[in-house]
Amino acid sequence: MAESATPEEPGGTPATTPKAGGAPTPDAPAAAAPTPKRKLHEGPGRLLVTLYGVFTVAAASRSVFQLSAQFDEAPLAYLLSAFAALVYGFITFSLVRGGERARKAALVCCAAELAGVLIIGTWTLVEPSAFPDETVWSDYGRGYLFLPVVLPVIGMLWLRRARRA
């Protein structure tokens, strides 16, 4: 019969060794087990995936229609909406995929989204004539209940927290 790598006390419980302070601790194999990490799309991340998924569909649908039927009216606004749809789609994909690289990519995209919302939102207030029609990010996302300015902040907070989890 093969002998166990971890010594056991009678009754099948792992043996313990005293710590420097005198308190017993389980031997190394059990103590070194990694703790499972929370996936990016679990818990509050599930709401983020849902909201970013809805925004992806909304922005993509709007921009596809506007680019195909009304491009001459406000090309910059419609191209910015298409860009927003790509950003939302990438963030959604990254949250679902999970992993450290996806978390970092989503974090960068959330920061880019926030910068875009702040720049375009300010631009639409300062020079409204530059945007004959609204974009997803016009007036800081007013047409979308200001979620475009709030969502990336919540996303970045969640992604930072997920790194530490």
Side-chain angles (χ1 to χ4, degrees), residues 106-121:
L107 193 59
V108 169
C109 281
C110 283
E113 175 194 0
L114 181 60
V117 171
L118 294 175
I119 291 167
I120 300 305

Side-chain angles (χ1 to χ4, degrees), residues 14-58:
T16 57
T17 54
K19 246 181 164 176
T25 61
D27 283 339
T35 57
K37 290 194 175 193
R38 179 183 292 182
K39 293 184 180 180
L40 296 177
H41 65 277
E42 291 179 351
R46 184 171 297 185
L47 179 60
L48 283 174
V49 168
T50 302
L51 289 173
Y52 272 115
V54 168
F55 268 68
T56 301
V57 172

